[in-house]
């Protein structure tokens, strides 16, 4: 029986494990931390990864709140709205869902058959020859398989072994996230809004069946300068010129439900695979959260990787190479495009350059550029990705 060892049980690793198991492969999924849980922040998933989750047998009923997205200015002035996408809404329920990250992880872990996942198992190295690949763990254990998948996130050990240490790029801004309950705002629409150098968004989410809100505030922040002080006070000062509901959402959020993370990504890799080893998700293409698609891409990667390995004799190095090459052909350019788009958006919205800020805001307020660049591009990507999952012969359910 073919075997695949997956390192890292984030959304990408769990997706690959579920898809490969359904394809009849013996899977081992090793997670370095003692649980698969995640910090309690909001997460947006678009239709394609939601479709993948459903196909992988994950119970998505009530997992996320459907919403339409719209861009606006910090004072509430509308800029662009995502159009209705009746085809996607019919097939998936919505183009976009807001949820709490731990709820997603819990649902995915619950779909994994017993015996696949082992927690508290940190990969510290690997070796391969033409026949097999072996991962070594910090507890002295090891696992041997036909193929090894590094799904171990932005600081990936597997990536370092294959491609060297590389660098992680800080973008010059940080992302605050929180979630809370608040009655009043329209739950059909999520907003993404900007002032001169800050971006904020808020969308409805469901958490254990109850209606909540998630919000993000992205603000410029000098490299290496630590934050100290009261997060709620700091954010409400930054948002003084913003109209509700954002300030009200921040005020309604318990301090222990506010997280702050630096926005980073990694340069594009020339290739993801070497011999019997490949990468997926953030390990392959860490992307700034500006795309709100990193977890979505990781889930898609796992699904498409399994589809490309299905039906191949994984003991044969030639077939393994062919499967991994087909997977990379399918995923590398698409994910690189999304990562580059996220990087450009971040630069455009947080640039300290005053003349550029002025020009950008004129274009956003008085032209159709937001629709054409932001909305149309994103809508096209959603449709293409849905087609890749449902289309004939490409991402058939493994
Ligand atoms: C502020 C912020 C907001 C975001 N919002 C969104 C969003 O709204 N929508 C979206 O789609 N994406 C979003 N993302 C991106 C998303 O979080 C990541 O892209 C996604 O988590 C990547 O999934 P992954 O499975 O590849 O890696 P990870 O989620 O990083 O999982 C990797 C796993 O590997 C484990 N691991 C690491 N090293 C080892 C080792 N040596 N041995 C064993 N296990 C190991 C880790 O413990 C972890 O569990 C956001 C990111 C940030 C920073």
């Amino acid at each position: 029986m073919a075997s695949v060892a997956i390192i890292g049980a984030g959304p990408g690793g769990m997706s690959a494990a579920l898809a490969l198991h359904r394809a009849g492969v013996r899977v081992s999924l090793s997670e370095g931390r003692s649980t698969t849980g995640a910090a309690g922040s909001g997460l947006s998933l678009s239709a394609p990864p939601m479709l993948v989750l459903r196909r992988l047998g994950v119970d998505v009923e009530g997992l996320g709140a459907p919403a339409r997205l719209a861009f606006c200015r910090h004072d509430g002035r509308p800029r662009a709205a995502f159009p209705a996408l009746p085809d996607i809404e019919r097939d998936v329920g919505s183009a976009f869902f807001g949820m709490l990250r731990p709820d997603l992880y819990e649902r995915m872990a619950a779909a994994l058959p017993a015996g696949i996942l082992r927690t508290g198992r940190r990969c510290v190295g690997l070796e391969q020859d033409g026949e097999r690949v072996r991962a070594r763990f910090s507890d002295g254990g090891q696992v041997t398989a036909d193929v090894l998948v590094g799904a171990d996130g932005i600081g990936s050990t597997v990536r370092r072994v294959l491609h060297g240490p590389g660098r992680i790029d800080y973008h010059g801004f940080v992302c605050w996230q929180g979630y809370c309950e608040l009655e009043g705002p329209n739950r059909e629409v999520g907003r993404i809004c900007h002032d001169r150098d800050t971006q904020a968004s808020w969308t409805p989410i469901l958490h254990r069946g109850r209606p909540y809100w998630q919000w993000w505030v992205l603000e410029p922040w000098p490299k290496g300068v630590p934050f100290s002080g009261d997060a709620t006070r700091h954010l409400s000062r930054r948002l003084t010129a913003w109209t509700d509901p954002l300030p009200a959402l921040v005020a309604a959020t318990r301090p222990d439900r506010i997280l702050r993370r630096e926005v980073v990504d990694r340069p594009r890799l020339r290739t993801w695979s070497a011999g019997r080893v490949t990468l997926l998700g953030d390990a392959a293409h860490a992307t700034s959260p500006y795309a709100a698609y990193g977890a979505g891409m990781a889930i898609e990667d796992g699904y498409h990787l399994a589809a490309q390995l299905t039906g191949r004799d994984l003991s044969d190095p030639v077939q393994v190479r062919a499967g991994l090459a087909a997977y990379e052909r399918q995923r590398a350019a698409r994910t690189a495009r999304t990562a580059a788009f996220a990087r450009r958006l971040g630069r455009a919205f947080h640039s300290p350059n005053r003349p550029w800020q002025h020009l950008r805001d004129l274009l956003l307020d008085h032209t159709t550029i937001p629709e054409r660049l932001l909305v149309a591009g994103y809508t096209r990507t959603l449709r293409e990705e849905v087609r890749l999952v449902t289309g004939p012969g490409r991402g058939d359910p493994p």
Side-chain angles (χ1 to χ4, degrees):
M1 190 181 189
S3 57
V4 175
I6 302 166
I7 308 299
M14 287 196 276
S15 163
L18 287 165
L20 286 160
H21 173 74
R22 289 169 86 85
V25 172
R26 191 168 65 237
V27 181
S28 77
L29 175 60
S30 303
E31 167 56 43
R33 288 176 304 144
S34 55
T35 65
T36 55
S41 58
L43 186 78
S44 308
L45 279 191
S46 57
M50 284 298 275
L51 194 57
V52 166
L53 291 175
R54 208 187 282 161
R55 289 190 158 214
L56 293 180
V58 176
D59 174 14
V60 293
E61 195 55 41
L63 171 63
R68 295 240 171 97
L69 294 183
F71 288 93
C72 64
R73 224 164 57 175
H74 68 286
D75 56 5
R77 179 186 160 132
R79 278 177 163 163
F82 281 79
L85 300 172
D87 48 340
I88 287 188
E89 284 163 18
R90 186 193 57 232
D91 294 344
V92 196
S94 172
F96 169 90
F97 295 84
M99 64 194 65
L100 208 61
R101 188 183 285 264
D103 292 350
L104 169 69
Y105 286 43
E106 204 177 291
R107 298 283 187 107
M108 292 188 79
L112 285 169
I116 287 187
L117 172 67
R118 281 192 58 184
T119 53
R121 239 185 164 203
R122 173 156 293 277
C123 176
V124 291
L126 59 102
E127 289 88 32
Q128 59 174 322
D129 55 32
E131 306 292 311
R132 304 282 276 168
V133 51
R134 192 177 73 231
R136 286 180 283 107
F137 298 100
S138 52
D139 61 4
Q142 47 180 270
V143 69
T144 307
D146 294 316
V147 173
L148 183 137
V149 181
D152 46 346
I154 188 165
S156 171
T157 299
V158 179
R159 173 178 170 140
R160 181 165 40 74
V161 172
L162 294 191
H163 304 293
R167 54 172 222 265
I168 295 180
D169 294 330
Y170 175 55
H171 289 215
F173 47 94
V174 294
C175 179
W176 294 91
Q177 288 183 287
Y179 69 99
C180 64
E181 290 174 282
L182 187 74
E183 280 180 26
N186 173 4
R187 289 188 61 82
E188 283 171 16
V189 188
R191 307 253 175 222
I192 305 168
C193 304
H194 303 89
D195 69 8
R196 206 165 34 77
D197 62 359
T198 306
Q199 192 229 51
S201 70
W202 56 96
T203 61
I205 61 171
L206 288 178
H207 172 41
R208 304 205 186 290
R210 287 175 60 86
Y212 281 73
W213 290 89
Q214 64 154 333
W215 53 262
W216 298 9
V217 175
L218 289 121
E219 65 169 337
W221 197 269
K223 187 175 175 153
V225 177
F227 173 80
S228 63
D230 180 303
T232 310
R233 200 170 311 132
H234 167 77
L235 287 167
S236 49
R237 267 203 300 266
R238 177 158 277 276
L239 301 173
T240 39
W242 287 60
T243 49
D244 272 336
L246 183 62
L249 288 168
V250 172
T253 303
R254 279 176 16 197
D256 63 322
R257 290 180 174 170
I258 300 179
L259 292 177
R260 178 182 179 276
R261 288 196 281 180
E262 292 188 340
V263 172
V264 293
D265 70 3
R266 300 195 75 162
R268 183 177 178 180
L269 279 174
R270 224 165 18 88
T271 174
W272 296 352
S273 313
R276 292 182 170 276
V277 182
T278 195
L279 303 171
L280 62 69
D282 275 10
H285 48 72
T287 301
S288 122
Y290 245 96
Y293 209 156
M297 289 192 291
I299 290 168
E300 291 165 3
D301 285 350
Y303 180 84
H304 291 301
L305 171 65
Q308 297 296 357
L309 293 181
T310 297
R312 295 183 193 271
D313 173 4
L314 298 186
S315 65
D316 176 356
V318 176
Q319 292 213 34
V320 168
R321 268 202 303 278
L324 298 184
Y327 157 66
E328 272 197 55
R329 266 198 309 280
Q330 191 183 6
R331 298 298 298 161
R334 313 182 69 74
T335 51
R337 223 171 24 240
T338 302
F341 178 64
R343 207 172 303 130
R344 278 199 304 275
L345 275 188
R347 278 201 203 114
F349 284 117
H350 299 288
S351 164
N353 181 313
R354 283 301 181 102
W356 159 250
Q357 290 172 350
H358 188 64
L359 173 67
R360 175 202 62 202
D361 292 346
L362 276 176
L363 295 173
L364 288 171
D365 284 333
H366 301 292
T367 73
T368 57
I369 281 179
E371 263 101 358
R372 282 192 285 123
L373 282 188
L374 301 175
V375 176
Y378 194 65
T379 306
R380 199 169 44 245
T381 302
L382 289 195
R383 287 212 161 98
E384 281 172 14
E385 292 297 344
V386 164
R387 252 198 315 277
L388 277 178
V389 178
T390 56
R394 293 302 303 275
D396 289 347

